[in-house]
């Protein structure tokens, strides 16, 4: 509100600082959320968030045009529901409409945002950005936060979402071009590959982990490397995919039934529309007394 009251003054002052090279990123305000997993968010000041938005507007098109189609996090026309539908489509293709068994290798990068290496990220940025003043601003933003020396980007920055896609595009390229995996979907640091056997799946997991450690200084979470068939159910981005249904994750259902209120009812019922959840939808409406 304070920034908005003197909007033009703040904006021209910020512009002058950027042009003169005097801009310095301010401190963050940390707070914890439970969604349901505990996460620490670092919120930048409004002044810095204006810079984040401006720089993303300028540099994102340089990188997005090179991203693979099946990278779904924080991109126009993508998102979680599109990613889940794409995986469902891939499962139908790979299994020839459930006439052949396929195996889904699901992986997660361990503490991804906290582990991003600043030097590697800056190298990837300089591959497509030649303007020195833009790079100086990016160095300023990246160096404004650390979880350990030279590591980490904050959950909460708009720039972090783009940085994550730039960083993990290297993984996308490796999986598609070198490992030659046709059916692959990634949403941020959560990704799924479809293969023909469990042996192939675990061999690929090992190859991917080696690539991540050697090239990006990150690694797979050892407890989150899972191999499942479609019939067993594939848990991805809050949904469980089965040959004849797509249902919400049981823990999500339990949380929705326990915590539905007038404030969140529309959001919860919206989730139901993306899954086979008629009974759940009816239960939620009954809990609200039919008022939604």
């Amino acid at each position: 509100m304070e920034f908005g009251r003197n909007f033009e003054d703040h904006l021209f002052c910020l512009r002058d600082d950027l042009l003169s090279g005097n801009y310095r990123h301010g401190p963050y305000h940390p707070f914890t959320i439970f969604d349901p997993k505990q996460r620490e968010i670092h919120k930048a000041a409004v002044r810095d968030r204006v810079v984040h938005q401006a720089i993303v507007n300028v540099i994102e098109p340089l990188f997005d045009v090179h991203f693979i189609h099946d990278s779904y996090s924080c991109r126009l026309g993508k998102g979680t529901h599109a990613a889940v539908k794409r995986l469902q489509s891939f499962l139908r293709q790979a299994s020839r409409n459930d006439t052949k068994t396929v195996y889904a290798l699901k992986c997660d990068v361990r503490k991804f945002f906290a582990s991003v290496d600043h030097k590697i990220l800056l190298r990837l940025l300089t591959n497509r950005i030649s303007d020195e003043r833009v790079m100086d601003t990016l160095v300023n933003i990246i160096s404004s936060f650390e979880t350990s020396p030279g590591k980490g980007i904050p959950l909460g920055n708009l720039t972090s979402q783009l940085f994550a896609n730039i960083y993990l595009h290297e993984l996308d390229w490796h999986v598609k071009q070198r490992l030659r995996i046709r059916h692959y979907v990634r949403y941020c640091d959560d990704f799924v590959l479809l293969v023909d056997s469990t042996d192939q799946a675990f061999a690929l997991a090992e190859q991917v982990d080696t690539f991540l450690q050697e090239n990006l200084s990150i690694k797979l979470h050892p407890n989150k490397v899972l191999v499942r068939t479609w019939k067993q159910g594939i848990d991805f981005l809050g949904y469980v995919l089965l040959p004849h249904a797509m249902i919400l994750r049981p823990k999500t259902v339990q949380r929705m039934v326990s915590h539905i209120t007038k404030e969140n009812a529309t959001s919860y019922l919206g989730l139901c529309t993306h899954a086979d959840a008629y009974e759940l939808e009816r239960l939620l409406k009954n809990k609200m007394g039919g008022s939604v």
Side-chain angles (χ1 to χ4, degrees):
M1 288 172 67
E2 193 280 327
F3 193 93
R5 274 197 297 268
N6 300 286
F7 182 70
E8 281 198 0
D9 291 342
H10 285 304
L11 215 55
F12 280 110
C13 181
L14 180 56
R15 174 186 178 273
D16 291 343
D17 283 350
L18 286 165
L19 286 172
S20 65
N22 291 326
Y23 169 74
R24 294 294 178 269
H25 199 287
Y28 292 88
H29 169 66
F31 61 96
T32 303
I33 62 169
F34 301 87
D35 69 337
K37 189 164 62 174
Q38 182 175 330
R39 297 179 189 274
E40 190 169 7
I41 306 296
H42 289 80
K43 183 175 72 173
V46 174
R47 186 174 193 265
D48 297 314
R49 297 208 302 272
V50 171
V51 175
H52 298 170
Q53 181 68 67
I55 205 159
V56 166
N57 288 348
V58 171
I59 71 169
E60 187 171 34
L62 300 175
F63 292 93
D64 192 81
V65 70
H66 296 283
F67 294 158
I68 66 166
H69 177 82
D70 292 310
S71 161
Y72 283 88
S73 175
C74 304
R75 295 179 67 197
L76 191 64
K78 305 287 184 175
T80 55
H81 297 127
V84 171
K85 286 178 181 176
R86 181 66 161 173
L87 179 56
Q88 190 177 47
S89 173
F90 276 166
L91 284 162
R92 288 197 188 102
Q93 288 177 29
S95 70
R96 297 172 193 154
N97 285 322
D98 198 28
T99 60
K100 171 191 169 186
T101 301
V102 292
Y103 296 83
L105 167 65
K106 185 173 178 292
C107 302
D108 193 321
V109 177
R110 192 173 194 275
K111 295 183 178 178
F112 171 68
F113 283 90
S115 303
V116 168
D117 186 287
H118 291 184
K119 286 183 179 177
I120 295 172
L121 175 58
L122 287 167
R123 174 174 55 79
L124 296 173
L125 288 165
T126 55
N127 286 344
R128 303 206 183 276
I129 298 171
S130 56
D131 189 295
E132 290 184 9
R133 287 191 300 178
V134 171
M135 282 308 305
D136 287 344
T137 304
L138 287 166
V139 169
N140 199 329
I141 293 169
I142 292 166
S143 62
S144 70
F145 179 86
E146 288 182 329
T147 52
S148 60
K151 298 266 190 175
I153 53 176
L155 276 168
N157 276 11
L158 178 65
T159 49
S160 295
Q161 299 170 359
L162 175 58
F163 293 160
N165 277 336
I166 292 169
Y167 208 83
L168 290 174
H169 172 68
E170 302 303 300
L171 167 65
D172 298 340
W173 190 90
H174 180 71
V175 169
K176 298 295 288 184
Q177 301 299 323
R178 289 188 176 160
L179 300 181
R180 311 297 292 178
I181 301 300
R182 182 180 176 188
H183 300 111
Y184 165 77
V185 177
R186 180 178 64 79
Y187 186 93
C188 197
D189 61 329
D190 209 351
F191 57 95
V192 177
L193 302 83
L194 301 185
V195 293
D196 293 327
S197 69
T198 53
D199 288 345
Q200 185 187 5
F202 286 116
L204 278 170
E206 192 172 326
Q207 291 175 56
V208 166
D209 198 31
T210 299
F211 172 82
L212 292 176
Q213 292 188 51
E214 291 180 352
N215 294 274
L216 297 174
S217 195
I218 54 179
K219 58 185 178 181
L220 296 181
H221 196 303
N223 298 331
K224 294 184 179 179
V225 175
L226 305 172
V227 180
R228 304 271 293 179
T229 65
W230 198 9
K231 284 185 172 65
Q232 289 174 314
I234 298 160
D235 188 328
F236 186 53
L237 303 177
Y239 294 88
V240 179
L241 282 69
L242 295 155
H244 304 293
M246 182 168 74
I247 62 175
L248 285 159
R249 184 184 289 161
K251 284 186 179 178
T252 303
V253 171
Q254 187 178 14
R255 191 167 70 253
M256 289 166 71
V257 172
S258 300
H259 296 101
I260 189 168
T261 64
K262 286 183 179 179
E263 287 71 29
N264 62 29
T266 302
S267 176
Y268 281 180
L269 291 170
L271 279 177
C272 292
T273 64
H274 294 280
D276 299 295
Y278 173 76
E279 292 297 331
L280 173 61
E281 186 177 355
R282 192 169 67 171
L283 174 61
L284 293 174
K285 286 180 177 178
N286 287 340
K287 282 207 73 174
M288 295 302 295
S291 60
V292 289

